[in-house]
Amino acid sequence: MASPFPVVVKLCASQRGTMRKLRVRTPVTALVLFFVLTLHVPQLNGQNLNRPDGRGNSAPVGRQRRSFTPPTKSFTVGNGPRGIAFDGTDLWVANSADNNVTELRASDGAVVRTVAVKTAPDAVLFDGTNIWVVNQGRDPKVAGSVTKLNPADGTTLGIFPVGQHPSTAAFDGVNIWVANTHDNTVTKLRAKDGARIGTYPVGSYPYGVVFDGANIWVANFSGNDVTKLRGSDGALLGTYSVGSLPLVPAFDGENIWVANHGSSTVTKLRSSDGVVLGTFNVGVKAYGAICVGTTVWIANDGGNSVTKLRTTDGSVLRTVPVGLSPEGFAFDGSSVWVTNSRSQSVTKILASGDGSIAKP
């Protein structure tokens, strides 16, 4: 019987256009040729038959590692969702166009209730006991307010006036600090009863507020800087330049991270003295920010995505597509939630791992 090896050699040559030169002279040779064609031609065409699952793979060798696009699982809320907060069990979302907040169960995203508040709610804050909602109002020349809610049943515990067109708020362990965007101040309210402790001047068009354990940091949108106030008495401790049109700051335990909407960057400041430690590129039109463990998450309002960075060096770990115009963040202990202001939804993302959308 003729050796099969010359047949194999001729078959390999046939892949270069010489198949027509091969002649089958005997039935045995034809049988060998059949098996050679069956077993070798797919591999010679760049296919891999040895997948771990035992199934054929039509992807060419060298192209099997494909980019992973996470799913876009989201939960419907009201119109114009902006701020969001976690109360230990549920998420509370401010629907700015509906003048209400939606309470969602964190475990599965189911709607628990919808609660009416005042006009144009922007931010939501949990103080460990109660939910606070910042109501901007439609007229920037009229004082806004904050609504205090009982998270157990959604009942209103009080409505307290603050400055003009308030935007966001922070809790220092005892007091609520509210940024009044249109009068360039922040108002300090006692959390237990809403009593006004003081109102303090900051920079131009203050928007985001964060507490670092001792001091209050305010991002001044029109000033391209942040103001540092002493938490105990509101005294001015410093003003520090950041990127263009800063919106929301976050604290990682040591440093302040400021999302710069105009420059699509995030600036890292040392909280002890305001020294800039780095400026890092993120997605388009950075808006919201939240620190989770050793990472910082930035909502890219113009890119419909969120970017996850490492706090040690600002390197980008992941960019995850979400809904339209993401803005606010909350963390429930395992997942990051982001509001999509033009999608009437919130997206739940696993904080660890590859950034996949968390399953309900």
Side-chain angles (χ1 to χ4, degrees):
M1 182 178 72
S3 170
F5 294 106
V7 176
V8 175
V9 172
K10 291 180 180 179
L11 181 62
C12 292
S14 74
Q15 304 308 306
R16 298 190 295 271
T18 61
M19 184 67 184
R20 63 183 179 276
K21 296 181 181 180
L22 182 63
R23 293 184 179 181
V24 178
R25 299 177 182 274
T26 68
V28 174
T29 304
L31 182 61
V32 171
L33 177 59
F34 171 80
F35 282 105
V36 170
L37 284 168
T38 302
L39 295 174
H40 291 277
V41 170
Q43 292 189 23
L44 293 171
N45 283 335
Q47 297 179 6
N48 179 10
L49 300 179
N50 298 316
R51 280 177 37 161
D53 58 9
R55 297 179 295 170
N57 185 349
S58 61
V61 173
R63 295 185 182 179
Q64 295 178 33
R65 292 182 63 85
R66 298 178 180 178
S67 60
F68 174 68
T69 302
T72 55
K73 176 65 178 177
S74 62
F75 306 97
T76 300
V77 288
N79 291 299
R82 305 196 71 177
I84 184 170
F86 179 59
D87 70 2
T89 303
D90 300 326
L91 283 303
W92 295 75
V93 182
N95 303 308
S96 62
D98 291 339
N99 304 329
N100 60 32
V101 293
T102 299
E103 181 183 359
L104 300 175
R105 195 161 54 208
S107 60
D108 60 5
V111 174
V112 177
R113 61 173 58 88
T114 299
V115 180
V117 290
K118 300 296 284 185
T119 306
D122 191 325
V124 189
L125 175 69
F126 181 58
D127 69 3
T129 304
N130 301 300
I131 293 290
W132 295 76
V133 182
V134 178
N135 309 300
Q136 281 192 331
R138 301 299 182 198
D139 187 346
K141 297 181 180 180
V142 175
S145 65
V146 293
T147 300
K148 183 180 180 181
L149 302 174
N150 181 350
D153 56 12
T155 56
T156 297
L157 301 177
I159 300 173
F160 309 100
V162 286
Q164 295 178 9
H165 207 71
S167 297
T168 64
F171 179 57
D172 69 5
V174 178
N175 307 293
I176 307 295
W177 295 74
V178 182
N180 304 307
T181 303
H182 280 233
D183 62 13
N184 302 330
T185 64
V186 293
T187 297
K188 181 180 180 181
L189 304 175
R190 193 163 55 207
K192 68 176 183 179
D193 58 7
R196 185 186 294 240
I197 305 299
T199 296
Y200 311 97
V202 287
S204 177
Y205 214 82
Y207 187 85
V209 189
V210 71
F211 179 60
D212 71 1
N215 304 300
I216 294 292
W217 295 76
V218 184
N220 304 305
F221 184 77
S222 295
N224 301 329
D225 56 27
V226 292
T227 299
K228 181 180 179 181
L229 303 176
R230 190 161 54 212
S232 60
D233 60 4
L236 176 64
L237 299 178
T239 299
Y240 311 98
S241 296
V242 288
S244 173
L245 308 180
L247 275 174
V248 177
F251 179 58
D252 69 6
E254 294 183 3
N255 306 295
I256 303 294
W257 295 77
V258 184
N260 304 307
H261 190 71
S263 53
S264 298
T265 61
V266 57
T267 300
K268 180 182 179 181
L269 303 170
R270 192 163 56 207
S271 62
S272 60
D273 56 10
V275 170
V276 173
L277 300 178
T279 298
F280 310 97
N281 293 324
V282 288
V284 180
K285 294 185 178 180
Y287 197 111
I290 189 173
C291 291
V292 177
T294 58
T295 63
V296 58
W297 297 66
I298 304 298
N300 304 309
D301 175 42
N304 305 326
S305 65
V306 298
T307 300
K308 177 183 178 183
L309 302 90
R310 189 162 49 211
T311 55
T312 53
D313 59 6
S315 59
V316 173
L317 301 175
R318 190 86 43 195
T319 296
V320 182
V322 290
L324 301 178
S325 297
E327 294 188 6
F329 282 117
F331 179 58
D332 70 5
S334 62
S335 297
V336 170
W337 294 71
V338 60
T339 58
N340 305 306
S341 64
R342 291 195 297 116
S343 292
Q344 294 77 52
S345 67
V346 296
T347 301
K348 182 181 182 181
I349 311 168
L350 292 174
S352 61
D354 64 3
S356 301
I357 303 301
K359 296 180 180 180

